Each structure stands twice: as structure tokens, then as C-alpha cells.
Amino acid sequence: MGAWQINGPARGTAKSWREFDLGLAAQVERITAPVGRGIAWEGTEIWAYRDRPNNLVEVLAANIAQRPEREAYVFHPGGQRLSWRQVGEQVDRVAARLRRDHGLVKGDRLCLLTLGCPDYVISYLAAIKLGAIAVPVNLGLTAEGLVAQIDKVGAKVLLVSPEVWQAKLESVRGRLASFESVFITGDAAPQGCSAFSVLNRPGQEAPVHETIDEWDLCAISFTSGTTGAPKGTMAMHINALGCAQNIVNVAKGLDADDINLCMPPLYHNTAVFADFMPALLTGGKCIVMSAFAPLDAIKLIEQERVSWAVAAPIMLWMMMNHPAFGSHDCSTLKKIIFGGHAASETYINQLKQAFDPVAMVNGGSVSESTAVGFALPTEDAIRKITSCGLATPNTDIAIFDEDGRELTEPNAIGEVAYRGQQTNAGYWEEPGKTAEVFRRDGFVLSGDWAKIDEEGYLWLLDRKKDMVVRGGQNVYCIEVENKLYLHPSVLRAAVVGVPDHLFSERLKAVLVLKPGHSATAQQIRDHCAARLAPYEVPEYVVFGQALPTNAAGKTLKPPLIDFWGDTDDNAAARLQAFCASMPASLLDRPQLKVDGVAVTPREALAAVEEHSVLGQRVAKIIASQGLVAMTQPDEARFRPR
């Protein structure tokens, strides 16, 4: 049923940081979203922080007025350093010229297609000052993907790095329908484009004053889902401010003396809303990395006396395990927020030993709810180690069944949804998709199966589309992955379903081990068997050097279904790896079908190695359709759509 169809009232049963810390309860209030502003959940009452700024422009102006000569941004590897006064001057002149010379007005879209650099930050803030909408675009997309997103939002102005222009956009420029001006970062530009340095040339300009309130749009962020076409979720000023304040609070307090290291790429939601925006809100210095490298991050923490960061767990792990980590002083990094997957006890203890942090918080949300709607308090880092924690102070979290009714019994499994100051306005020019996800009562559906336990803590179980059905039993892959992360040798884990003639699907774990560590497939199965139900234990266990990800760092699961390790791409090698991934008891069971004839894995491997007629047929199927073509039952859900 559509999200518009609401079956009964919903309040949200997850415990909140409002209850965890009564001081935070005093910081929030109930407000009502206005009507007639294009907000999918207009007229709904939500939690929001009291005494919040009216908009991001007001925050920038306060920083410029209160601390003009303090450093605002440092850029790596370029080394450029900007004070708040310099930021203000550059934002004023770029905004004035964008409006006067290029017609950028309130509501227009400016697409950012560059890594973190001074031009990015000045352009983003200038767009916001004009009441325009900043649109960071994923640089990992193909040229076609970039064109689709630029045209989808009808961008009037583009800021593009020379590398992205030359490699992807120059050849397809004629297919871009909406843009009027292209600025290339730096001092030089190809024909038909302008150098950003010309837009930002020295000279006095009369500041632009635009009427902006908290319900105006400030950004469009494309969802980073691993399947399907990305959707542009519309963030308002109130959303960005709410997320920034959440970071301040879960980090146990941030202020102008705190220094941030922004490690994720600035086209990613995490970097923008959980690093860049909180630093702007507090007036503290932000160190912007154009691209993450562990040794560079270590050196920057030492050199700049970095005190807080929001990063993917793998980034922190790579830093702590870098050979040079011990020879650098990273003791100032005391407030650490991470998210993306569950943490292991080994990882948490290593964080404690490496940084002795004041705050060590696992948090996250969905793009439609900006960035941080739940967070696990530092005090619960071990006690509730694979939980997502509590709703942030300005958020309600609820679980819904397929008919739109809230599930209030502890541990009832349904789709988790978020409501509050961070809930975006909807999807850009996609009312149909908005209606599927944004409920009129303010809750935005996540697409994640989850449960809320007896203490009110949230536990994510799986993406709805990724749930595995094994012999009629639902298996939530994230729950299995969380247990895999508790193994001391596991660095990365992904669980998928492999089509199966008997069970419909069998469970498969694809693992990346920590350097210097080892584990066998059976040891992994034994580890899971001690922590999970028998039907949740992966039967296939495969080891690889890396997991495929999208540009946002999310694991791409479809390629893993027929991945059997880093082997030679020939039928014999793939079958050998397939056989090695399973318990010996399965080798002589007829799991494969070749032209309708049941064959055991052992028989198929022997036939390929002997180059028999059967072996030649098996090899041909593997080469043309993949090994899984022989395990796949004739079910509608496995047929191409």
C-alpha cells in the first residue's frame, strides 16, 4: 500500500536520547510543518530543537561576525587556508556575480561535480546565500549517470573539476538540456566554460540579501541505493540544522574550539550533513580532505590537532592499523562518530585503546532523513554492540507492518520509519515515488526491516529487497552480518541469498579478512552456529580481497551472488571455488541442474576436469550465464524482469 494510506495513528516506540539525557529533552519542542510549501508531510507535528537559527545563511553570518580572523577551512592536499572573514568575502562576491551575471535566483539549482576544495565550499555557501539549491553529484557515476542527475534537477549552473569535465562531461555536453553556465575549478577553462577564479576574482561586490526561512530548500541529495535509479531527496534548511545539532549532541558537545576532519567525499551525505554542516553550525575549523588516505588523515590529525570526525568504520580501521599510526600523535581526536555497519567488540576496544575517546558513537539514518536519526550512546557501545541505538532528540522512530499499522510489541519485525526535524520535504519532481515513501503523518519509510527491543533500542535487520527466504524461513542479512563482524578476523562482511532448487535460496557469506588474519569456511560457520539459528548459518562461505561498493561506500550485493572468490575466470577454477565454499556434506547432493538433469557439485567438477560431454556443457553454461544459472529454480522472482 502507498505511504499516503495511513492505518491508525503512530507515535514511535523507540526510546529517544530525550529520555536518555534529560538535558537534551529541554532542548527540543513540538512544532508544526507549514502548509502550502511543497512539504510531503505538511501540517504534521514533529520534534525540533528550540532556539535554532532561521537558516544556514544566518549561521554563516554569525561566524563571520564573531570570529572573522579564525580559520574556518583547511584543504588537503592543496594546503589552502581560509578565515571566516575570507570565506564571507568570497561567498559575497561569488553570490553577487552568480545572480547579476548568470541569473541564479532563489530555487535555482547549482550542481557540484568536484572533490572537496575551496571552490566547492564557496560555491555551496554562495548558492545557499542566494536561496538557491546546492546539488552535490556523485563523481563515481558514468557520464550518462551524471547527465541524468544534472538534467533531473534542471541545473542552471555547474561547478566541475577539470578531470571530471575532460573524462566525462565534455563529450556529452550537447546532451545536457538545462545548464546555462559551467565553471571549471581553478584558473583555466576550456572553450565554452569559465574558470571559477574569474567568478571569484578580487573586487568589492554589494552583498545579496535574500529572504530565506527554515522551510526553504537548501540541497538536493541523490539517494545512494545499490539498485534502481537514484532519487533526489529535498533537504530544507531546518533539516541541515537539525542534523548538525544532533552531531553536536551525540558527540557530547562541540563548539568553536573543536576541529573537524572531513574524511568522506563532499558529494556524500555524510560529509555534507555530518561533518561540513556541524562545523559550520559551531564555527569550528573544518579540515577538508579531497580524498581519503589513511596516512594523510593520521598526519592531519596530528598537525591540525583534530578533535572530532564522522567517518566510515573502515576509514578509522585503516588509520589504526597503518604501520605509521604509532609514530604520530592522534590523542586530540576524542569525539568519534561512525556508521555503516555494526561494530565488533575488537573494533570498539581498538578505538578505545587508540584514541581514548570521550564519545564513540555508531549512528546513521536514510538519505530521506538527512544523515543521523539514530545513534548508539558511547555508554552502550559494548552492551548493545550490534544495535543502532536510540532515536536522536529531534526524531521519532516507529515500526510498521505491510498495511501501514504501527507495530508496538517489543521485537516485532516490520519496516522502520523516521519522523522529525530531519525528515526531508520529499523527492524532487517525483510525486509518485514520494507517495510511496513519505507518509502524511511525517514518518518516512526506510525500506529496512527492523525491530525495537524491550528497552526501546533499534535493531536494523535487512533491506527489504535483500531479505533471503530459505526454506520458508526469513533470514535478515544484516543480522547475520552483525554476527560475522563479531569474529576477530573479519574486516568486511556481506550476506546474500544464492538461488537453490531445494530451499529456494541458501545463505552465502562473502568476507574480507583483516590483514595478517586467517579463518576457514568451517570456522566461520561454527562462529555463526554459536550465535544464530541453524537456518541463519551461511552454507556458502567465500573469501575475497574486497567487496564491490558504489561511490557512497555501500556494498553492491547482486555481483556477490555468483562470486566464488578471486579465482581464474574458467569453469574448473570457479567450480573448485564453489565446492570449497560449502560443507563437505553438500558436495554429493544434487544442487545443480544441467538441461533439466540433476547433478552434484562433485560430479560437475569431475566432468569439467575430464572434458566430458557433460563437462563441456557445464563449462558453456558457466561462461555464458554464470554458475548460479545451474542452482536457480524455475521461480518467477528469479526470472529476468
Side-chain angles (χ1 to χ4, degrees), residues 53 56-68 84 280-281 283:
L56 295 167
V57 180
E58 182 180 288
V59 174
L60 175 61
N63 289 335
I64 296 165
Q66 295 169 13
R67 48 190 73 89
W84 283 113
L280 180 68
L281 180 66

Side-chain angles (χ1 to χ4, degrees), residues 17 250 337 361-364 372-377 387-392 397 457:
W17 281 66
V250 302
I337 301 170
V361 176
N362 196 347
V372 182
F374 56 77
L376 182 65
S387 166
C388 296
L390 311 175
T392 50
I397 298 179
Y457 284 70

Side-chain angles (χ1 to χ4, degrees), residues 220-222 233 243 265-275 366-371 424:
I220 295 174
S221 301
F222 282 95
T233 181
C243 183
L266 264 180
Y267 57 76
H268 192 277
N269 243 25
T270 298
V272 172
F273 292 115
D275 283 296
V366 289
S367 299
E368 294 84 351
S369 189
T370 312
N424 288 182

Side-chain angles (χ1 to χ4, degrees), residues 5-276:
Q5 298 169 267
I6 297 170
N7 201 335
R11 59 182 180 85
T13 58
K15 185 177 179 180
S16 168
W17 281 66
R18 300 185 298 272
E19 303 161 72
F20 180 76
D21 182 342
L22 295 182
L24 295 177
Q27 291 186 29
V28 295
E29 63 180 350
R30 301 289 280 176
I31 66 170
T32 301
V35 175
R37 298 291 299 275
I39 301 168
W41 39 280
E42 61 181 17
T44 297
E45 192 177 74
I46 61 167
W47 287 107
Y49 284 105
R50 300 177 187 270
D51 304 320
R52 59 193 178 277
N54 291 315
N55 54 60
L56 295 167
V57 180
E58 182 180 288
V59 174
L60 175 61
N63 289 335
I64 296 165
Q66 295 169 13
R67 48 190 73 89
E69 301 309 321
R70 291 190 67 168
E71 282 190 335
Y73 297 100
V74 177
F75 298 91
H76 178 81
Q80 304 96 329
R81 310 178 86 91
L82 296 175
S83 68
W84 283 113
R85 176 183 55 78
Q86 291 170 318
V87 170
E89 291 171 351
Q90 294 187 35
V91 167
D92 277 350
R93 63 195 184 212
V94 169
R97 291 163 185 164
L98 282 172
R99 171 151 297 180
R100 183 190 65 215
D101 302 332
H102 301 277
L104 196 69
V105 299
K106 184 175 182 179
D108 285 342
R109 280 74 62 203
L110 184 154
C111 278
L112 300 145
L113 298 102
T114 178
L115 294 171
C117 64
D119 297 358
Y120 181 111
V121 169
I122 298 303
S123 296
Y124 197 109
L125 295 175
I128 288 175
K129 180 155 191 176
L130 292 172
I133 303 168
V135 188
V137 180
N138 185 337
L139 302 184
L141 295 172
T142 63
E144 291 73 19
L146 296 179
V147 169
Q149 293 194 1
I150 293 167
D151 281 348
K152 187 176 189 66
V153 298
K156 180 179 282 189
V157 176
L158 309 182
L159 177 73
V160 191
S161 70
E163 299 78 13
V164 172
W165 180 260
Q166 292 163 10
K168 297 184 178 181
L169 283 184
E170 188 171 25
S171 63
V172 296
R173 177 176 183 156
R175 292 165 50 192
L176 292 168
S178 62
F179 82 94
E180 296 178 10
S181 303
V182 178
F183 294 98
I184 305 297
T185 58
D187 298 322
Q191 186 175 5
C193 303
S194 302
F196 183 79
S197 60
V198 175
L199 185 67
N200 194 19
R201 66 190 181 277
Q204 199 79 16
E205 296 283 354
V208 175
H209 297 286
E210 182 63 65
T211 301
I212 303 168
D213 70 30
E214 61 184 358
W215 302 102
D216 283 320
L217 299 183
C218 65
I220 295 174
S221 301
F222 282 95
T223 58
S224 57
T226 53
T227 62
K231 301 175 288 293
T233 181
M234 301 183 290
M236 301 173 284
H237 285 256
I238 191 172
N239 302 146
L241 291 166
C243 183
Q245 188 63 52
N246 279 339
I247 294 292
V248 170
N249 286 331
V250 302
K252 296 194 173 181
L254 298 172
D255 58 33
D257 293 325
D258 278 295
I259 299 170
N260 167 252
L261 180 61
C262 182
M263 293 184 270
L266 264 180
Y267 57 76
H268 192 277
N269 243 25
T270 298
V272 172
F273 292 115
D275 283 296
F276 179 49

